[in-house]
């Protein structure tokens, strides 16, 4: 596992008034929710997961929202969720795990940057396929496509990795067989 600031330097993108949240971004299967939960337990922070917040408000799973209301509705719900999170009283440190597609909308990326340090959990398509293949029904973007799973994942990596990299302050490779608690500890080392 390596951690590094992405090329281009961090200072250039860091706004003057930036929050102290730890924001986890990356594709499905990178461990954002698990790592976020561990970090928040260790520092006594509030842990929010954007998919979880949307499911709670809608009283439906992400898969149900996609099939009943469509992806554009879900994407708008992601933006609305982020706006709400930004408005919360800043009385407790926040660890935020985000849905894989959320950072791709520019408005969302801007809000994530303002919330705090953005950490990209990076992994290669092979690792991601291994991690998600048993739970495909929960992931509508992977379930509906006609391409084989590995090709679909490779395509998503190719489409999204540049955006994740541009947004990230820190990058952690999670494709090695490293336990989520080790990744969480490394992130905390860098963020404190
Ligand atoms: C999505 C990722 C999912 C969820 C939705 C769409 C994406 O979240 O938001 O199925 O576009 O990559 P996870 O990354 O937490 O699986």
């Amino acid at each position: 596992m390596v951690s590094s600031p992405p090329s281009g330097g961090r200072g250039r993108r860091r706004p003057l008034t930036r929050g102290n949240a730890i924001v986890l971004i990356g594709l499905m299967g990178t461990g954002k929710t698990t790592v976020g939960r561990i970090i928040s337990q260790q520092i006594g922070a509030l842990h929010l997961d954007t998919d979880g917040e949307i499911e709670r408000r809608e009283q439906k799973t992400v898969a149900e929202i996609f099939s009943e209301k469509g992806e554009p509705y879900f994407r708008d719900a992601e933006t609305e969720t982020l706006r709400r999170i930004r408005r919360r009283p800043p009385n407790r440190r926040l660890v935020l795990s985000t849905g894989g597609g959320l950072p791709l909308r520019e408005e969302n990326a801007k809000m994530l940057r303002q919330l705090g340090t953005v950490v990209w959990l990076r992994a290669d398509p092979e690792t991601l396929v291994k991690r998600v293949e048993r739970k495909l029904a929960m992931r509508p973007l992977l379930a509906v496509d006609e391409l084989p799973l590995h090709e679909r994942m490779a395509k998503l990596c190719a489409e999204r990795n540049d955006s994740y990299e541009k947004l990230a302050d820190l990058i952690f490779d999670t494709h090695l067989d490293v336990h989520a608690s080790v990744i969480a500890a490394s992130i905390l080392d860098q963020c404190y």
Side-chain angles (χ1 to χ4, degrees), residues 131-190:
R131 292 196 191 140
V132 301
E133 63 193 348
R134 277 172 295 131
K135 292 185 180 168
L136 278 187
M138 288 168 54
R139 293 185 154 105
L141 275 193
L142 297 174
V144 295
D145 206 87
E146 283 155 20
L147 289 175
L149 181 57
H150 179 269
E151 282 176 41
R152 177 71 186 135
M153 194 59 98
K155 193 163 168 259
L156 281 174
C157 286
E159 286 166 0
R160 294 180 171 184
N161 283 358
D162 279 356
S163 302
Y164 293 146
E165 182 168 4
K166 274 196 199 112
L167 180 59
D169 296 297
L170 295 168
I171 302 172
F172 286 83
D173 280 324
T174 69
H175 45 246
L176 307 174
D177 199 10
V178 182
H179 194 270
S181 59
V182 178
I183 294 168
S186 312
I187 293 172
L188 278 173
D189 262 5
Q190 299 277 327

Side-chain angles (χ1 to χ4, degrees), residues 26-30 32-33 49-51 54 62-63 66 71 74-75 78 97-102 104 132 138-142 156 160 164:
L27 268 170
M28 298 167 259
T30 47
K32 292 163 293 183
T33 304
D49 175 285
T50 57
D51 286 345
I54 294 168
V62 169
F66 264 71
E71 182 173 352
F74 176 78
R75 297 301 174 196
E78 289 189 310
S97 304
T98 58
L102 181 145
L104 305 177
V132 301
M138 288 168 54
R139 293 185 154 105
L141 275 193
L142 297 174
L156 281 174
R160 294 180 171 184
Y164 293 146

